[in-house]
Amino acid sequence: MNIIVLNGRGHQSRLLRIPRYLPVALLSLLLVVPVLLGAGTYYAMYHWGEPVLDQRMTARWQDELEAQRGTLSEINQRAEEELRAFTLRLADMQARVLRLDALGERLVDVAGIHSDEFDFSTPAAVGGPELPDERSVAYTAPTFAEALTDLAVTLDRREQQLSILERLMDSKRLAERTELSGRPITMGWLSSRFGQRTDPFSGRLTTHRGVDFAAKEGSDVVATGGGVVTYAGQRWGYGNLIEINHGNGFATRYAHIKDIHVTNGDIVRAGDVIATVGSTGRSTGPHVHYEVLKNGQQVNPAPYIARARR
């Protein structure tokens, strides 16, 4: 092989002769040398150096994998146990809701309250505007925790309803116990009505601020409603007097009585015997002067007496 070399000016040239085997030798050298270097490096690392993955490391990795499998199995078992516990708790709470609903409906019937105010058979009405950015959100099923939370909220709501219902029933029972009705005597007759009359002592026209019930001396005088005794003693014009506060601005007075069976601060119920019929004070004979006061003013007792006949 010949190579012609020209100088920069192109006036002179030189001929180089290259042996024919030289290119083949160079190519062989470029291929053989890397192969020999790679083989030598592998041989040196395999025989003289420490292996990258020896048996001890492989065994250690296998032990770690087994430990991770055991941990994962324990986690799965614990998750299944918790799921069963959640399921039992959910079933128990649902049973409680059913019992509360049944009890609430029964109490509403017993209390005579309109069912629209305490409807335990339908879910509570809820609502609210939909936000624009929520319309594109896809529906996702509630988790167990969310289901338990919703059920706990339902239980709280039912307990609040029952608490309100209990207070209403207590108020109704209290009102029934303190409501004025009937006569202050067990036997006797109405001898003087409320309003204008001729005074039995002066003969002048006066206002009678109560009603009189004539009865046998020593017979029972009863409270016409439940309340607290606020006065039990003598008072001018009334003779022996008992005054009972019934709440809500109502009070009753029982005058001209003989024997007083209660003291200040005593709690009485409707129908309790509080005294005996007498003729103390400004009186012409055995009777009970009965007054009903509303916010401190005497009112006609006739409507309250008539309640006992309804």
Side-chain angles (χ1 to χ4, degrees):
M1 178 182 295
N2 296 328
I3 296 176
I4 300 175
V5 179
L6 301 176
N7 61 5
R9 297 179 181 179
H11 298 297
Q12 296 180 355
S13 62
R14 185 176 180 180
L15 181 63
L16 298 177
R17 295 183 179 273
I18 299 176
R20 294 182 179 180
Y21 61 87
L22 184 60
V24 177
L26 292 174
L27 182 60
S28 300
L29 183 62
L30 292 175
L31 294 176
V32 172
V33 170
V35 173
L36 293 176
L37 288 175
T41 303
Y42 173 78
Y43 182 83
M45 291 180 64
Y46 183 79
H47 290 281
W48 299 331
E50 295 182 357
V52 178
L53 298 176
D54 57 2
Q55 295 180 353
R56 290 178 298 176
M57 185 174 294
T58 302
R60 186 168 63 251
W61 283 8
Q62 289 179 351
D63 294 340
E64 291 178 358
L65 287 176
E66 291 296 330
Q68 291 177 359
R69 290 192 186 97
T71 303
L72 184 60
S73 177
E74 293 178 359
I75 294 175
N76 290 334
Q77 184 178 1
R78 189 161 55 247
E80 291 178 358
E81 293 175 354
E82 292 179 354
L83 183 60
R84 285 194 295 269
F86 275 133
T87 303
L88 293 175
R89 183 184 174 193
L90 183 61
D92 179 67
M93 295 176 72
Q94 289 174 340
R96 288 175 57 193
V97 170
L98 292 177
R99 288 195 296 269
L100 287 176
D101 288 347
L103 176 61
E105 293 174 359
R106 176 60 180 166
L107 290 177
V108 168
D109 292 338
V110 171
I113 301 174
H114 200 278
S115 60
D116 291 342
E117 298 181 15
F118 292 92
D119 191 356
F120 289 89
S121 61
T122 59
V126 295
E130 181 184 13
L131 299 179
D133 55 350
E134 292 181 348
R135 296 176 182 175
S136 60
V137 178
Y139 170 79
T140 55
T143 62
F144 255 103
E146 292 174 349
L148 289 175
T149 301
D150 293 340
L151 199 53
V153 171
T154 301
L155 282 173
D156 291 340
R157 187 183 300 113
R158 292 293 186 269
E159 290 175 355
Q160 292 175 2
Q161 288 178 314
L162 289 175
S163 177
I164 295 172
L165 183 58
E166 181 183 10
R167 289 197 295 269
L168 289 176
M169 293 182 66
D170 288 341
S171 299
K172 186 176 180 180
R173 287 194 295 266
L174 180 61
E176 291 175 351
R177 289 195 297 266
T178 59
E179 185 181 59
L180 302 178
S181 66
R183 306 189 307 171
I185 57 173
T186 56
M187 297 181 65
W189 52 281
L190 181 65
S191 57
S192 181
R193 297 182 182 277
F194 180 89
Q196 298 291 325
R197 73 171 185 176
T198 301
D199 186 273
F201 293 96
S202 65
R204 293 177 298 185
L205 187 65
T206 59
T207 300
H208 189 219
R209 300 186 183 278
V211 293
D212 293 338
F213 289 93
K216 182 180 178 180
E217 185 173 356
S219 59
D220 292 338
V221 177
V222 297
T224 56
V228 180
V229 177
T230 57
Y231 187 86
Q234 292 185 347
R235 184 176 295 181
W236 183 86
Y238 288 96
N240 290 336
L241 172 70
I242 294 176
E243 183 171 329
I244 301 175
N245 189 330
H246 303 279
N248 296 323
F250 284 93
T252 53
R253 288 175 179 169
Y254 311 79
H256 308 305
I257 53 182
K258 181 179 180 180
D259 298 319
I260 298 175
H261 296 334
V262 294
T263 59
N264 291 346
D266 285 351
I267 298 175
V268 297
R269 297 172 298 179
D272 286 351
V273 177
I274 57 175
T276 59
V277 175
S279 185
T280 59
R282 196 169 180 264
S283 170
T284 61
H287 75 286
V288 177
H289 173 80
Y290 176 63
E291 292 182 4
V292 174
L293 294 88
K294 184 177 182 181
N295 297 323
Q297 299 295 324
Q298 289 96 339
V299 295
N300 189 355
Y304 305 99
I305 296 172
R307 285 178 178 174
R309 296 193 295 269
R310 294 177 184 174

